[in-house]
């Protein structure tokens, strides 16, 4: 694994829980792939444009890839094509992906470029590669809360799986941080559980595992 594309999506920047955990994941990936280079794209501070009239017309008229309306799309797809692994750090916003991540998806999931439409359905043209998605949410969506409140709807994980699957990325691993707005104890439990999952997903040598992790800043 030589190149890692790192997308961050939270308006909270460096204080985001999703970012905290994804930074730990990146540290593991870098430790286990010594020469890995990270390209960081912060979608929250530099959001991709939402599809406008020119983009829509270019898609629908099968304009060539060098059409000016595809300029951002070409840059973002190029970043994706060059990476060996993709890490996405995202909050859940209203049961789904935040608007900036949806805007990125609308730029990279492009007919005749990153997928083809065939009689058998949409076929992705990108090489498959590992995708790690850290999802932070205030409540619980993978199951009921510890106090028994029902799980929230989850349109984020199935949507992201379908959207990235469309372009050929099917090797997704989700790391969830749930119950983050329910007090410091809940956040600590969520972080501890996510760290266990990280250790399973990206194991390190026993020496590295015993190294203390960085202190958690207040968020
Ligand atoms: C606009 C908005 C919508 C949100 N929608 C949800 C939601 O649907 N479900 C949920 O559990 N938490 C929701 N939250 C809470 C965030 O998911 C939670 O604060 C999480 O920690 C954000 O992740 P971050 O720290 O990485 O930014 C929402 C927060 C905002 C600002």
């Amino acid at each position: 694994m030589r190149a890692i594309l790192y997308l961050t999506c939270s308006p909270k920047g460096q204080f985001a829980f999703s970012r905290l955990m994804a930074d730990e994941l990146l540290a593991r990936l870098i430790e286990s792939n010594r020469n890995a280079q990270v390209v960081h794209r912060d979608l929250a501070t530099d959001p991709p444009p939402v599809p406008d009239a020119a983009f829509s017309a270019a898609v629908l008229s099968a304009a060539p890839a060098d059409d000016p309306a595809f300029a951002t799309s070409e840059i973002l797809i190029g970043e994706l094509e060059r990476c060996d692994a993709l890490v996405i750090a995202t909050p859940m916003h209203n049961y789904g992906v935040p608007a900036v991540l949806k805007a990125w998806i609308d730029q990279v999931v492009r007919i005749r470029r990153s997928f083809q439409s065939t009689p058998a359905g949409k076929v992705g043209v990108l090489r498959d590669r590992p995708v790690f998605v850290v999802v932070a949410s205030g409540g619980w969506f993978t199951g009921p809360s510890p106090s028994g409140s029902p799980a929230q709807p989850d349109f984020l994980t199935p949507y992201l799986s379908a959207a990235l699957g469309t372009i050929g990325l099917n090797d997704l691993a989700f790391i969830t941080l749930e119950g983050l707005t329910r007090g410091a104890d809940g956040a600590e439990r969520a972080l501890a559980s996510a760290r266990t999952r990280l250790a399973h997903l990206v194991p390190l040598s026993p020496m590295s595992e015993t190294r203390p992790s960085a202190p958690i800043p207040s968020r």
Side-chain angles (χ1 to χ4, degrees):
M1 186 183 295
R2 291 187 311 278
I4 301 170
L5 176 59
Y6 181 28
L7 302 180
T8 49
C9 310
S10 173
K12 290 158 61 184
Q14 61 176 326
F15 299 106
F17 284 108
S18 52
R19 173 101 174 246
L20 168 75
M21 197 44 57
D23 283 352
E24 292 189 18
L25 166 64
L26 272 186
R28 282 180 171 272
L29 290 173
I30 291 166
E31 174 107 22
S32 55
N33 300 273
R34 285 286 173 190
N35 296 319
Q37 300 290 314
V38 178
V39 173
H40 180 200
R41 180 169 280 279
D42 189 342
L43 299 178
T45 56
D46 185 17
V50 294
D52 59 7
F55 182 86
S56 174
V59 168
L60 297 176
S61 66
D66 62 359
D67 189 291
F70 291 146
T72 301
S73 174
E74 283 298 314
I75 291 169
L76 298 180
I77 293 172
E79 286 178 355
L80 204 41
E81 287 174 325
R82 285 189 295 278
C83 78
D84 302 305
L86 172 63
V87 173
I88 302 177
T90 183
M92 172 179 274
H93 279 175
N94 294 315
Y95 312 135
V97 295
V100 294
L101 182 52
K102 177 63 164 61
W104 180 84
I105 289 167
D106 286 340
Q107 294 289 338
V108 301
V109 181
R110 209 177 95 209
I111 190 166
R112 290 176 292 274
R113 179 63 174 84
S114 54
F115 76 91
Q116 300 291 350
S117 184
T118 77
K122 295 177 178 177
V123 178
V125 302
L126 267 58
R127 169 176 53 84
D128 203 2
R129 67 208 80 198
V131 179
F132 301 92
V133 187
V134 178
V135 185
S137 65
W140 283 265
F141 63 90
T142 59
S145 77
S147 64
S149 303
Q152 299 178 42
D154 170 24
F155 297 101
L156 192 159
T157 62
Y159 171 67
L160 211 46
S161 301
L164 295 178
T166 300
I167 58 176
L169 306 184
N170 295 294
D171 181 10
L172 270 64
F174 288 95
I175 300 104
T176 65
L177 290 161
E178 301 175 66
L180 293 170
T181 52
R182 312 299 153 94
D185 286 357
E188 282 303 330
R189 272 195 297 275
L191 291 167
S193 149
R195 286 193 178 106
T196 304
R197 174 133 171 84
L198 287 194
H200 171 75
L201 283 172
V202 189
L204 299 178
S205 67
M207 284 287 284
S208 306
E209 289 289 4
T210 52
R211 214 175 287 153
S213 52
I216 302 166
S218 61
R219 270 154 217 266

